[in-house]
Amino acid sequence: MTTTMDSLAALREYGQEQGYDLSWLEKRETWGVRIEPGKGGLVIDDVERGEHGHAPDESKNMTGRTRGSVPRPGVPRVGNYPVRTKADIWLRNAAELYEEAQQRQWSSATDIPWETITTLPDDIERAECQLTEVEFVAGDVPGKWIASVTPDYFEPRMFLISQVMDEARHLDVFRKRALVNGGGLMQRTAAAAAVTGGSIDSARDFTEMSARLHMSGEGSVLTLFRIGELMAYNDAEKHIYRLAAQDESRHVAFGVMHLQYLSQAAPDRREEIQSYLDEAERNLVTGASGQNPASTGVSSSQALAVLLGGGVDNYDEGVKLLLAARQRQVREYVQRVKVAGFGERFENGRASKMLEQYVKSA
Ligand SMILES: [Fe+2]
Ligand SMILES: [Fe+2]
């Protein structure tokens, strides 16, 4: 036995004589192919080359077997994965977004300069506290979908896992903000009898959920985080908004890129997607389902006006700035829909007429 090859062959021969099944010792086509990390380190796209890197259009994998591994017969079905069609979940850059999520994790305990928060006027402090009740549903709902996705589509699956981690951090950082300065947890915003995010939670299809959560709900929150500088009263708040915006922009990008993939891979679903967007626009404007903290008639939008204006005495100025924020929400929403490939709704009259009204009256 002079070479490894010889020892392997000898071992197999010996095993067979003894009645062992040593077929798992078979070398795969990747054997001996070394991969060098690139500038950004060793990323998923570096190693997912070759047959194992290929996500099938349909997945028959019900056993939790990792993609590309050797199947064996007689394995029980450990997973019941309703999402087994690639178009239903896929996007071109899930692996990249997941890598970015990993690299940009931050700590609510140590990355926020909490010591910069000092006593604020009561109206400002109350408004800050009111604004902190976002974020719960955004972690809950993707969490529910993770185990529904076949392991063959592990890239979007792992992205969703990273999103759950991000949302846990958002939940905790805003909770800390509400309590750190002697404020408190205020009444939860609700439009009519709906609870925040109710319709996101009730989605029965992944893309339906993604359109409601990533495109609509998180999209409108992202715009608000992006203007966080304008409503921050100290460095800690600036950090919170900036870091949360960084996370949210990944979540929103996931939704946009998924819709883009689906619209190309399953054009027969385009009309259905347009109907989700009809609903998304209603939610954006009216605050139905509590998806948009800046929408008309919810207490969080009044809190926003107080923060933007610099107090209740400057409420009118705050409302002006709130309208500018809404304008930006709509502009960014339109842009996302266009990138996703559904921009014709703004040309053919399908888009909600209320979008225009939304940016004009408080
Ligand atoms: Fe979030
Ligand atoms: Fe998010």
Side-chain angles (χ1 to χ4, degrees), residues 235-269:
D235 226 27
E237 287 162 9
K238 279 183 196 164
H239 274 72
I240 294 172
Y241 290 128
R242 188 170 51 74
L243 290 167
Q246 188 179 288
D247 295 340
E248 290 307 339
S249 64
R250 279 195 305 275
H251 310 161
V252 172
F254 179 97
V256 173
M257 296 308 286
H258 167 56
L259 276 192
Q260 195 187 72
Y261 183 85
L262 178 104
S263 91
Q264 285 157 12
D268 54 316
R269 291 192 63 187

Side-chain angles (χ1 to χ4, degrees), residues 6 8 45 54 56 67 70 92 128 141 167 169-170 189 199 210 224 228-229 231 237 251 284 302 319 324 331:
D6 290 341
L8 187 66
D45 285 342
H54 176 70
R67 187 177 77 209
V70 182
R92 279 204 323 265
E128 283 291 352
V141 181
E167 304 300 358
R169 190 171 48 240
H170 297 174
T189 302
S199 79
S210 175
L224 297 176
E229 288 272 312
M231 50 185 182
E237 287 162 9
H251 310 161
L284 177 80
Q302 289 157 8
V319 168
R331 204 169 57 228

Side-chain angles (χ1 to χ4, degrees), residues 134-135 138 166-167 170-171 174 218 221 225 244 247-248 251:
V134 283
E135 300 298 340
D166 292 346
E167 304 300 358
H170 297 174
L171 182 72
F174 284 111
E218 296 186 288
V221 170
F225 287 165
D247 295 340
E248 290 307 339
H251 310 161

